[in-house]
Amino acid sequence: MCDRERVTARRHAAEDLAAEHSAVLGGLLREREELLATLDRVAALNGTARLIRESIGTHSGFVAELTGPEQAVIRWMSGNRTDALQDLTVPIGQGIGGRVLALGRPVKVNDYVSSPSITHQFDAQVRGEGLAAMIAVPIVSGTETVAIAYAAMRERRDFGDDAVQSLEDIASEAGRALKLASVAESDRETALSAERLRMQSALHDSVGALLFSIGVQVRNLHEDISDNPALESRLRRLEGDVSAASRALRESLLALSESSPERALPVELAEHCRSFQARCGVPARFVQLAPVPRLDAERTGLLVAAVREGLLNVEKHADALSVVVSLLPSDDGVQVVVADDGTGHRSEDTEQPAPGTGMGLRALAERAARLGGRVSLVRDEDDGCTLRAWVPEPCRRR
């Protein structure tokens, strides 16, 4: 094979590799988009609106979701004839839904537009939908009202206690469904964050490395060719395409790395455990004992730093056979615990690190104190050690 044939073969191989791995990149990014499609909460509320109408036998059922502590927006409707009530904002105290928000209990009216027990800012919308008798009850998830359930008829009616109780039962089921949806969403977000990290690593190690290799090969071909202007031009175009693909890959890796800190917390802690185990050969397990409230970046960073410091101490001093890192809600805040079964020497074995020892722990304790939190490291009865770091939820300092 002559030099020109070898050059042509190498160029075609480089082009084929670029096309193949561009397809891989596109497939991975489409997979990422599919992971983002989660609609469980919407399905629960939309299903509640249908269930109200079907179970109670009313002409219409609809649900307003709270968008703030003192207002809700009607978003899900069943049996409606118009869009008069769709996306209607209901402030606290206004109309039947606003009265439910203010009182925290069911409210019913025989005829909405003539009732003296409610305000009438929304009479035009209610007339437009042709509604008269109405019941509204709060939907509670945990201890907080998160939505309002409505049942309505197109004529005057005196709703009895059975109808109110039926609507309350449906609202109670909806509240439980929303709580489960919230936990599932948190789990999905954690899994999604882990998948984003996996995809980021896979893209960097495979597609990124191959694009770099293709670029090197193209540059080497430039050096081998000095008397073929047409091929030189095509190689320059190919080099430009590889460069553009590399930029697109970097942007994709950056997008995959973007994640809100509070959602990334369980993923970060699990990754630190995996890294510690790979580095030291000591089994390290991450356990999230219950869903935790969302924290801001500063509090999240402190908890991650505490786990990192705890694992580093185990690595340096503990001579441990296993480590468990726990994440849990605690005392109106969030706590992480790093517990080992080591028997090695520890200089930091008191509630607060002694002066002159445990610089990392002292810095963490001071940082936590500024946030109203605390850090402690104690020796357990079985010679293991336990590091605890706790921070209050934002605006709940102690």
Side-chain angles (χ1 to χ4, degrees):
M1 182 182 292
C2 67
D3 289 343
R4 179 165 296 183
E5 289 174 336
R6 281 195 293 272
V7 168
T8 301
R10 289 170 65 185
R11 176 174 58 80
H12 286 318
E15 290 174 340
D16 290 343
L17 280 172
E20 176 186 346
H21 292 291
S22 177
V24 171
L25 173 61
L28 287 170
L29 293 177
R30 283 192 297 274
E31 178 186 345
R32 168 181 172 267
E33 292 303 318
E34 290 172 3
L35 288 169
L36 296 173
T38 55
L39 300 174
D40 288 3
R41 182 178 180 83
V42 172
L45 293 171
N46 196 38
T48 297
R50 289 197 304 272
L51 184 61
I52 290 170
R53 185 168 60 90
E54 295 167 1
S55 298
I56 302 178
T58 54
H59 293 126
S60 181
F62 45 101
V63 177
E65 184 177 23
L66 266 68
T67 56
E70 297 189 343
Q71 77 173 24
V73 177
I74 297 173
R75 298 200 190 280
W76 295 275
M77 303 191 69
S78 178
N80 55 306
R81 295 174 177 172
T82 72
D83 293 330
L85 297 174
Q86 187 69 50
D87 296 326
L88 180 67
T89 298
V90 181
I92 188 169
Q94 295 185 11
I96 188 171
R99 186 164 174 78
V100 168
L101 281 182
L103 300 177
R105 59 175 174 78
V107 176
K108 62 179 182 176
V109 295
N110 296 344
D111 181 36
Y112 188 100
V113 297
S114 64
S115 173
S117 64
I118 60 172
T119 63
H120 292 278
Q121 289 88 349
F122 310 120
D123 284 2
Q125 290 88 342
V126 172
R127 284 195 188 97
E129 181 56 36
L131 300 177
M134 199 177 296
I135 320 170
V137 304
I139 295 177
V140 178
S141 178
T143 59
E144 296 182 357
T145 297
V146 295
I148 305 166
Y150 298 78
M153 299 295 292
R154 300 190 184 281
E155 69 265 357
R156 292 173 58 93
R157 173 179 293 189
D158 184 5
F159 283 113
D161 292 340
D162 288 347
V164 175
Q165 185 60 56
S166 295
L167 186 57
E168 286 189 297
D169 290 344
I170 292 172
S172 179
E173 289 295 328
R176 283 192 285 272
L178 290 176
K179 187 172 182 179
L180 290 174
S182 178
V183 172
E185 182 180 3
S186 176
D187 290 343
R188 282 194 303 272
E189 288 170 348
T190 298
L192 177 59
S193 294
E195 181 65 6
R196 287 159 68 106
L197 289 175
R198 184 195 67 77
M199 291 170 63
Q200 182 188 19
S201 177
L203 285 169
H204 180 272
D205 293 345
S206 59
V207 182
L210 283 165
L211 285 174
F212 177 79
S213 175
I214 293 169
V216 170
Q217 292 178 50
V218 171
R219 286 190 293 274
N220 288 340
L221 286 174
H222 273 300
E223 297 174 0
D224 294 341
I225 298 169
S226 58
D227 58 351
N228 192 328
L231 188 54
E232 276 277 344
S233 177
R234 294 179 67 182
L235 284 173
R236 280 195 295 272
R237 286 198 298 272
L238 179 58
E239 190 171 16
D241 291 343
V242 172
S243 178
S246 297
R247 286 196 300 273
L249 176 62
R250 286 194 296 272
E251 291 173 0
S252 297
L253 294 177
L254 180 61
L256 285 171
S257 68
E258 291 175 351
S259 178
S260 60
E262 70 280 356
R263 291 177 179 174
L265 179 57
V267 176
E268 281 279 332
L269 301 186
E271 283 296 319
H272 279 298
C273 286
R274 281 192 287 270
S275 176
F276 170 87
Q277 182 168 319
R279 187 171 67 250
C280 304
V282 176
R285 186 161 57 101
F286 169 69
V287 180
Q288 182 169 354
L289 299 177
V292 297
R294 292 184 177 181
L295 302 175
D296 55 30
E298 191 172 10
R299 288 167 173 77
T300 299
L302 173 67
L303 295 181
V304 171
V307 169
R308 192 163 53 236
E309 180 69 20
L311 292 173
L312 181 62
N313 272 346
V314 175
E315 183 177 353
K316 287 180 177 179
H317 309 298
D319 193 20
L321 298 177
S322 65
V323 184
V324 176
V325 175
S326 306
L327 173 67
L328 66 154
S330 173
D331 195 22
D332 292 331
V334 178
Q335 179 173 253
V336 293
V337 180
V338 182
D340 69 76
D341 59 0
T343 58
H345 171 70
R346 293 296 190 102
S347 59
E348 307 97 348
D349 59 356
T350 59
E351 279 289 328
Q352 296 297 333
T357 64
M359 294 293 295
L361 286 173
R362 284 210 308 279
L364 278 173
E366 292 169 0
R367 186 173 162 190
R370 289 194 292 271
L371 295 171
R374 54 183 177 266
V375 173
S376 66
L377 177 65
V378 296
R379 186 183 296 281
D380 303 325
E381 292 182 0
D382 59 359
D383 285 335
C385 280
T386 300
L387 181 144
R388 290 183 175 85
W390 174 87
V391 292
E393 293 180 56
C395 301
R396 285 190 173 183
R397 298 193 178 186
R398 293 198 166 191

